Amino acid sequence: MSTVSKPRVFVLNGPNLNLLGQREPAAYGTQNYEDLVELVTRNANDLGINVDVKQTNHEGLLIDWIHEAKAAANGIILNPASLTHTSIGVRDAVLAANLPTIEVHISNVHAREEFRHHSFVSSVATTVIVGAGIFGYVLALQNLSHILNQGVAA
Ligand code: DQA
């Protein structure tokens, strides 16, 4: 019997993701933010992961949460949204947290405007998942589960 406690993962979402379902459905689908939270919570539960799912429209708060993860979480799933393409602060926070970090984008950013092709986060992320819709968060949970379990003896 394992005495190892459940891993904790922060799922952090940046600007405008609260408008999922209402905003550009061709790019982001018709499911809303509550649907995303439900999908993530249900799949995390199935994988034996505790999740904190949060969204903010403010860069500084997103950075504060990444700092908080360093002490409180075993990994991060991060969709920095527009801050992906602009924020060295978010990138530096990911480096400082030094945790397995899965960068997720709902849309295929590489098939969209050129300014979305560059991410300040990708080169410091463990894994990058783009274009899988909100199912990308499930893939990220599975990937993190695999990464975190690698450190646990069978
Ligand atoms: C996004 C892609 C970003 O380019 C955009 O600014 C977003 C959402 C995505 O999930 O596809 O807000 O991160």
Side-chain angles (χ1 to χ4, degrees), residues 15 17 23 28 79 81-82 84-85 104-107 109 112 116:
L17 288 168
R23 163 195 184 219
Y28 303 118
N79 184 347
S82 57
T84 308
H85 317 298
V104 174
H105 298 287
I106 295 167
S107 64
V109 284
R112 301 181 64 197
R116 296 186 203 276

Side-chain angles (χ1 to χ4, degrees), residues 12-110:
L12 304 178
N13 294 292
N16 301 306
L17 288 168
N18 55 313
L19 298 179
L20 263 186
Q22 306 165 38
R23 163 195 184 219
E24 299 179 73
Y28 303 118
T30 53
Q31 286 176 293
N32 63 27
Y33 183 71
E34 286 67 38
D35 296 328
L36 172 64
V37 174
E38 195 276 324
L39 179 76
V40 169
T41 307
R42 181 162 42 84
N43 280 275
N45 197 43
D46 289 349
L47 288 164
I49 293 173
N50 285 320
V51 273
D52 287 12
V53 191
K54 307 180 203 225
Q55 188 277 330
T56 180
N57 294 323
H58 304 280
E59 180 174 4
L61 187 55
L62 185 63
I63 291 171
D64 286 344
W65 287 343
I66 296 169
H67 294 178
E68 224 177 272
K70 187 173 172 53
N74 304 100
I76 302 172
I77 294 172
L78 177 62
N79 184 347
S82 57
L83 296 170
T84 308
H85 317 298
T86 60
S87 179
I88 296 169
V90 170
R91 173 199 172 88
D92 285 351
V94 169
L95 273 173
N98 196 26
L99 289 171
T101 299
I102 317 300
E103 178 185 353
V104 174
H105 298 287
I106 295 167
S107 64
N108 178 357
V109 284
H110 301 292

